[in-house]
């Protein structure tokens, strides 16, 4: 088409192409070339509407008269007066009087600007790239029968110039929007992780406070009470056989309280570190159970397991604690193995046993598994569990990059 243009017209097309260079958005691009295009196709109103990729919406950008077409973006294609062109049913519309042309006034069509501004003569051509319609270029005149077939050819030539540039702008804006959405998602995820980490720290401090209160007050009271009852049991006027069950109950209560205190305030973890705390809990759990269980614990992290932040160390301890308790109580296993390892830039913790497996708890989720999964998520770690080849495992994988930012 450009080859058929006169020398003067060809120079105008080159000017349009030059004016497009450097324009980074649709509105700026339209305004930059509007005056030059008006020398080729005089108009009272010009707009470009661009179809949003993968959607049923389009957005209009206007020059000249300002109408509601550009004030209500984005708009549904099915309500556009030129929907036939936008969905590919035709390549152009040419009408002497849009006020009377039924193609623009079907049920549901947003044709109000045509009537409000008296847009009579109208010329529309498709913007196409690789055979795909990406939008439309539209001209309107307040005069009846103002556009002819010659103007249609000029409009097609201008559309051929604009379409690749607008396609590039659309692709750039889509990429920018995707980057913004991705960045926003990362920010939200990081904010959630940091907020959750702070919440975990606060909860842990509160747990420690409760543990100290129980130790200093409740346990002390019960201890004094037990000693008093012990003295009473040796008095002649108080039958010892009646007080002995109460004494035993108080001893059991004290044992229960000691367990609560230890769970609320893991002193071994604070004093000796994560690996020793897990080993201590594992050894005590098996010993108290009375089961014939053997166990192993290995640390192949090169010291990384001892460099974790307090928040992360407590979280991994709680996960290991729950997994060990489950294995001892429910697995019917004869062996439990705990291992720390390095997997490239991540630290892994695995608790495995040779028991009967997780059964329904793994398939449908249980409070213990859910708690472990949530704890892992709060510090940015990946949680997995399952049973295969005679081994049941709980595994936590912690990216060390996240651990570095949390210290």
């Amino acid at each position: 088409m450009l080859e058929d243009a006169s020398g003067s017209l060809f120079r105008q097309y080159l000017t349009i192409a030059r004016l497009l260079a450097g324009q980074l958005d649709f509105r700026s691009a339209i305004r930059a070339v509007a005056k030059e295009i008006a020398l080729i196709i005089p108009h009272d109103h010009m707009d470009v509407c661009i179809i949003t990729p993968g959607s049923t919406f389009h957005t209009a950008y206007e020059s000249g008269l300002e109408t509601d077409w550009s004030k209500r973006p984005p708009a549904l294609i099915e309500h556009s007066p030129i929907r036939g062109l936008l969905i590919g049913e035709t390549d152009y519309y040419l009408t002497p009087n849009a006020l009377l042309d039924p193609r623009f006034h079907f049920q549901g069509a947003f044709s109000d600007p045509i009537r409000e501004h008296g847009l009579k003569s109208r010329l529309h051509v498709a913007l196409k790239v690789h055979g795909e319609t990406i939008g439309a270029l539209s001209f309107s005149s307040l005069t009846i029968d103002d556009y002819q077939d010659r103007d249609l050819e000029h409009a097609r030539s201008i559309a051929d110039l604009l379409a690749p540039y607008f396609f590039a702008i659309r692709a750039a804006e889509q990429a920018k929007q995707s980057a913004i959405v991705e960045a926003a998602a990362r920010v939200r995820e990081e904010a959630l992780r940091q907020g959750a980490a702070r919440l975990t720290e606060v909860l842990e401090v509160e747990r420690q406070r409760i543990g100290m209160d129980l130790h200093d007050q409740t346990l002390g009271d019960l201890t004094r009470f037990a000693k008093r009852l012990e003295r009473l049991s040796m008095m002649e006027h108080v039958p010892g056989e009646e007080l002995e069950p109460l004494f035993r109950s108080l001893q059991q209560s004290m044992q229960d309280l000691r367990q609560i205190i230890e769970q609320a305030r893991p002193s071994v973890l604070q004093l000796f570190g994560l690996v020793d705390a897990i080993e201590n809990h594992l050894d005590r759990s098996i010993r108290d159970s009375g089961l014939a269980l053997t166990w192993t614990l290995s640390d192949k992290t090169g010291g990384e397991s001892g460099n974790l932040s307090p928040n992360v160390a407590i979280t991994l301890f709680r996960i290991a604690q729950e997994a060990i308790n489950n294995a001892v109580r429910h697995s019917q296993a004869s062996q439990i193995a705990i291992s720390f390892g390095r997997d490239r830039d991540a630290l892994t913790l695995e608790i495995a046993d040779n028991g009967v497996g997780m059964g329904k708890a793994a398939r449908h989720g249980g409070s213990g598994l859910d708690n472990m999964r949530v704890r892992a998520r709060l510090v940015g770690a990946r949680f997995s569990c399952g049973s295969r080849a005679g081994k049941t495992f709980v595994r936590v994988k912690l990216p060390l990059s996240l651990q570095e930012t949390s210290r």
Side-chain angles (χ1 to χ4, degrees):
M1 294 179 186
L2 295 178
E3 290 77 7
D4 296 333
S6 65
S8 174
L9 195 58
F10 185 71
R11 284 192 295 273
Q12 287 176 309
Y13 290 146
L14 290 179
T15 300
I16 292 172
R18 177 178 58 80
L19 292 172
L20 281 174
Q23 305 302 325
L24 302 179
D25 62 85
F26 295 113
R27 188 167 284 104
S28 297
I30 289 296
R31 292 174 178 174
V33 300
K35 185 179 294 186
E36 198 66 30
I37 290 176
L39 296 176
I40 302 173
I41 303 177
H43 56 268
D44 296 301
H45 173 269
M46 179 180 73
D47 74 64
V48 169
C49 69
I50 302 296
I51 298 172
T52 304
S55 77
T56 57
F57 292 88
H58 71 288
T59 302
Y61 304 91
E62 297 179 309
S63 175
L65 292 171
E66 186 175 349
T67 76
D68 284 344
W69 282 323
S70 64
K71 294 178 182 177
R72 302 182 183 180
L76 281 168
I77 291 174
E78 64 180 281
H79 295 160
S80 171
I82 57 169
R83 68 180 182 186
L85 187 149
L86 296 177
I87 64 177
E89 290 181 350
T90 182
D91 288 336
Y92 74 94
Y93 283 165
L94 177 60
T95 182
N97 189 351
L99 292 172
L100 303 177
D101 194 326
R103 292 179 297 178
F104 300 95
H105 303 285
F106 53 86
Q107 185 177 1
F110 182 43
S111 304
D112 294 350
I114 294 176
R115 293 186 290 269
E116 291 173 2
H117 297 276
L119 304 180
K120 300 180 179 65
S121 295
R122 303 206 76 202
L123 170 59
H124 309 268
V125 292
L127 294 169
K128 287 193 171 186
V129 175
H130 301 306
E132 175 193 357
T133 298
I134 66 165
L137 173 63
S138 303
F139 301 94
S140 299
S141 171
L142 304 181
T143 305
I144 293 176
D145 201 17
D146 209 14
Y147 297 126
Q148 310 301 322
D149 289 342
R150 179 191 61 181
D151 299 304
L152 174 60
E153 292 305 312
H154 292 335
R156 283 173 165 165
S157 297
I158 295 170
D160 287 344
L161 275 174
L162 299 181
Y165 204 87
F166 287 166
F167 180 81
I169 292 177
R170 187 181 74 165
E173 289 195 352
Q174 187 179 13
K176 180 180 178 181
Q177 186 61 35
S178 297
I180 291 173
V181 171
E182 183 178 351
R186 287 199 301 268
V187 169
R188 287 194 299 270
E189 181 179 350
E190 180 62 18
L192 175 62
R193 188 185 71 81
Q194 292 182 0
R198 288 193 295 270
L199 177 60
T200 302
E201 290 175 356
V202 171
L203 291 175
E204 202 59 41
V205 169
E206 184 65 13
R207 288 171 68 99
Q208 293 181 19
R209 185 191 66 78
I210 293 172
M212 289 186 290
D213 288 347
L214 289 173
H215 180 273
D216 296 340
Q217 181 176 334
T218 309
L219 189 58
D221 293 341
L222 289 173
T223 301
R224 289 191 296 272
F225 189 35
K227 289 181 178 179
R228 183 179 177 184
L229 288 175
E230 185 178 13
R231 288 195 300 270
L232 290 174
S233 67
M234 293 182 284
M235 295 176 61
E236 294 181 1
H237 302 293
V238 181
E241 64 270 18
E242 294 185 10
L243 292 175
E244 185 178 358
L246 179 59
F247 176 68
R248 292 188 179 277
S249 296
L250 285 171
Q251 283 187 318
Q252 183 61 50
S253 296
M254 286 188 290
Q255 178 63 28
D256 292 341
L257 281 171
R258 288 192 181 97
Q259 291 179 355
I260 293 173
I261 293 167
E262 190 166 2
Q263 290 175 355
R265 184 168 48 88
S267 57
V268 177
L269 173 61
Q270 293 173 336
L271 294 174
F272 301 105
L274 176 61
V275 176
D276 285 343
I278 292 176
E279 180 178 1
N280 178 72
H281 181 75
L282 176 62
D283 181 61
R284 189 181 67 254
S285 298
I286 293 176
R287 185 177 64 250
D288 292 347
S289 72
L291 299 175
L293 276 167
T294 60
W295 60 268
T296 60
L297 188 150
S298 63
D299 182 4
K300 299 179 181 179
T301 64
E304 285 292 341
S305 62
N307 295 327
L308 301 174
S309 69
N311 176 51
V312 173
I314 289 171
T315 297
L316 294 182
F317 177 79
R318 297 299 182 199
I319 293 173
Q321 189 179 48
E322 178 69 23
I324 290 169
N325 292 342
N326 287 343
V328 171
R329 294 171 186 168
H330 308 301
S331 71
Q332 301 176 33
S334 61
Q335 297 176 346
I336 297 178
I338 299 179
S339 61
F340 285 89
R342 279 287 299 271
D343 182 7
R344 296 183 179 179
D345 296 327
L347 182 146
T348 60
L349 166 62
E350 182 179 275
I351 301 92
D353 64 68
N354 63 346
V356 296
M358 295 185 177
K360 294 182 179 180
R363 292 193 297 271
H364 303 294
S367 59
L369 289 176
D370 289 341
N371 289 342
M372 287 189 279
R373 187 174 289 108
V374 169
R375 286 185 185 276
R377 188 184 307 151
L378 290 178
V379 294
R382 181 181 300 173
F383 176 85
S384 59
C385 63
S387 301
R388 63 171 177 265
K391 182 177 82 168
T392 300
F393 67 91
V394 166
R395 186 179 299 124
V396 182
K397 187 172 184 179
L398 174 74
L400 292 176
S401 59
L402 291 179
Q403 165 59 20
E404 290 170 1
T405 60
S406 64
R407 288 176 187 169

